[in-house]
Amino acid sequence: MTHRTLIRSASLLTLSLALTACVTPTAPVKAPVDTTTPAQRMAAVDAVAAGADEKELAIQPLRDAEIEDLRMTAQARRQANDLAGAADALNQALLISEGDPSILQERAEIALLQGDWARAETLARKAVELGSKTGPLCRRHWATIEQSRLARGEKENAVSAHAQLEGCTVPGIKRY
């Protein structure tokens, strides 16, 4: 190697090192982390379902005694924070009455509390298909779907679920 080639190689190496030092490495852009807990998501469902008009008509079907016992067991287990036990009781109720929108919704809410977002949405969507298109239960269905989608980072899909909420509310009869 000649003296001139050696100087040229050293100059290129020095220039490369200088340019490398000038480049600031950029940190990868991280997506914002959703810190909403399953309990907070459930509280959002409860708030939406409450509605604004206490005169709104809410129809509750008559239930089989065995199903009602399973629902009460599920409610007691949920209050005791035994979500798996609550889910089991509701799953048994669904084996008896698979097309009951209110039981499907209760099971969807347990899935929401368990952080099982896909299952919560699937159950709530089935409840929408089988149930009433108005009233508090309808709002619970769509609020559960909305929260499930938000939890999965599907904001645009959550907006479309939220848009369905207004159609669930029918003002009560005004009596004079």
Side-chain angles (χ1 to χ4, degrees):
M1 218 185 231
T2 65
H3 182 56
R4 200 179 266 201
T5 306
L6 186 59
I7 291 175
R8 192 176 291 163
S9 295
S11 297
L12 283 174
L13 180 62
T14 304
L15 181 61
S16 295
L17 289 172
L19 288 174
T20 303
C22 293
V23 175
T24 308
T26 57
V29 178
K30 293 182 181 177
V33 176
D34 185 353
T35 59
T36 308
T37 66
Q40 289 169 322
R41 292 198 182 286
M42 192 61 237
V45 170
D46 289 337
V48 167
D53 189 350
E54 42 185 67
K55 295 177 187 158
E56 182 177 42
L57 182 62
I59 298 171
Q60 296 296 324
L62 295 174
R63 288 200 170 80
D64 176 88
E66 184 178 6
I67 291 173
E68 195 58 29
D69 286 346
L70 288 166
R71 288 182 70 238
M72 292 299 117
T73 299
Q75 186 177 22
R77 289 184 178 168
R78 177 178 169 178
Q79 288 174 344
N81 206 26
D82 176 10
L83 298 177
D88 287 342
L90 291 170
N91 288 340
Q92 288 177 36
L94 286 170
L95 289 173
I96 298 167
S97 180
E98 66 184 79
D100 186 327
S102 61
I103 298 172
L104 285 164
Q105 180 58 36
E106 289 173 32
R107 183 60 184 89
E109 291 175 8
I110 296 298
L112 191 71
L113 286 168
Q114 291 174 314
D116 189 348
W117 316 127
R119 177 173 238 171
E121 180 173 352
T122 299
L123 290 164
R125 288 186 67 74
K126 186 172 182 181
V128 165
E129 291 170 17
L130 298 172
S132 173
K133 307 301 184 238
T134 60
L137 192 56
C138 176
R139 286 193 300 277
R140 290 189 89 78
H141 302 326
W142 285 110
T144 301
I145 293 167
E146 176 188 26
Q147 289 301 316
S148 298
R149 290 174 178 179
L150 285 172
R152 292 192 314 261
E154 299 173 5
K155 291 184 181 183
E156 291 168 3
N157 290 334
V159 169
S160 71
H162 185 80
Q164 300 295 321
L165 289 168
E166 190 162 327
C168 292
T169 302
V170 176
I173 299 170
K174 293 184 181 181
R175 297 181 185 180
Y176 297 98

